[in-house]
Amino acid sequence: EIVMTQSPATLSVSPGERATLSCRASQSVSSNLAWYQQKPGQAPRLLIYGASTRATGIPARFSGSGSGTEFTLTISSLQSEDFAVYYCQQYNNWPPGWTFGQGTKVEIK
Amino acid sequence: QITLKESGPTLVKPTQTLTLTCTFSGFSLSTSGVGVGWIRQPPGKALEWLALIYWDDDKRYSPSLKSRLTITKDTSKNQVVLTMTNMDPVDTATYYCAHLITMIVVVWGQGTLVTVSS
């Protein structure tokens, strides 16, 4: 199983500031990496796929980068609606199966 | 507009079999590249893939849960059914179904909380 490790677990950021979230894979997943946003009591929402392609309707302040084992999600200027938990997920091969990271909570500083 | 909704019991007893139904609209599971998957999230914990099924009846299962899971589709009813046998309290979670295009989860259902307790 490919293990996805996200850091930090919690990120405290002021509105308007930049947030940088990291995701590391235990082995290469090429660019088969997605990012999701989840707010309390809600289902996750697709933000980024293919490591760097924004999903339909996602604002340009969200950007993804990386390939292989190291990935980054950047939120250029945090808005109030961006405070949430963010998950990365690899979809490189099945079997052994796709896996999620444990999440990064972005909270208001 | 694509929507998915999970339905099934909210409470099951240990050792029982859980049957969840995903009823969807806005897409067809007979369209090339389209799939429906199941993902769960224990309270306060991370997400875990369970299974998925594609338009061509290709089925994938979590290796760690494969012996307990069965996924099927009814294209005419726009439904996908997941069964999980031998339920245990550690299986308490919110269970989501989701719409996939090839390998990308595009839309999620609202989720349904299943509690396993005697």
Side-chain angles (χ1 to χ4, degrees):
Chain A
E1 174 182 289
I2 298 176
V3 177
M4 306 301 291
T5 303
Q6 292 185 242
S7 60
T10 303
L11 187 61
S12 297
V13 186
S14 299
E17 287 188 340
R18 183 186 194 91
T20 303
L21 290 67
S22 295
C23 175
R24 173 177 292 179
S26 60
Q27 60 186 270
S28 177
V29 297
S30 187
S31 294
N32 297 314
L33 191 285
W35 290 94
Y36 301 91
Q37 177 194 67
Q38 186 177 34
K39 296 180 181 179
Q42 296 184 19
R45 176 176 71 143
L46 176 66
L47 298 175
I48 301 284
Y49 63 93
S52 60
T53 302
R54 275 190 304 277
T56 302
I58 301 303
R61 64 180 181 272
F62 290 92
S63 63
S65 63
S67 66
T69 61
E70 300 283 345
F71 301 90
T72 301
L73 175 69
T74 301
I75 311 170
S76 60
S77 176
L78 270 158
Q79 306 298 303
S80 58
E81 62 266 30
D82 300 336
F83 292 96
V85 178
Y86 293 82
Y87 292 95
C88 63
Q89 181 232 312
Q90 66 80 16
Y91 49 91
N92 195 49
N93 281 306
W94 195 329
W98 303 338
T99 48
F100 291 90
Q102 80 278 20
T104 290
K105 181 179 181 181
V106 177
E107 64 176 24
I108 300 174
K109 187 174 183 180
Chain B
Q1 181 188 7
I2 291 173
T3 63
L4 307 97
K5 187 171 184 178
E6 306 85 354
S7 59
T10 58
L11 179 66
V12 297
K13 290 181 168 51
T15 75
Q16 286 187 335
T17 293
L18 172 68
T19 299
L20 293 173
T21 301
C22 176
T23 303
F24 56 85
S25 63
F27 68 95
S28 172
L29 200 39
S30 59
T31 300
S32 178
V34 171
V36 171
W38 286 93
I39 299 152
R40 71 178 177 180
Q41 185 173 36
K45 295 188 177 181
L47 298 154
E48 178 186 20
W49 270 100
L50 300 177
L52 62 90
I53 187 166
Y54 282 105
W55 86 101
D56 59 355
D57 211 38
D58 179 14
K59 301 173 185 177
R60 314 280 178 92
Y61 295 100
S62 164
S64 62
L65 295 168
K66 185 175 182 178
S67 63
R68 300 173 54 204
L69 296 172
T70 303
I71 190 168
T72 60
K73 63 180 174 72
D74 187 329
T75 304
S76 64
K77 292 183 178 179
N78 282 353
Q79 290 182 332
V80 170
V81 175
L82 181 76
T83 60
M84 180 180 292
T85 61
N86 194 25
M87 293 293 284
D88 183 272
V90 299
D91 296 314
T92 294
T94 296
Y95 287 74
Y96 296 98
C97 66
H99 165 248
L100 288 87
I101 297 178
T102 60
M103 300 181 287
I104 310 300
V105 175
V106 181
V107 181
W108 298 64
Q110 64 188 26
T112 185
L113 176 62
V114 178
T115 301
V116 184
S117 175
S118 54

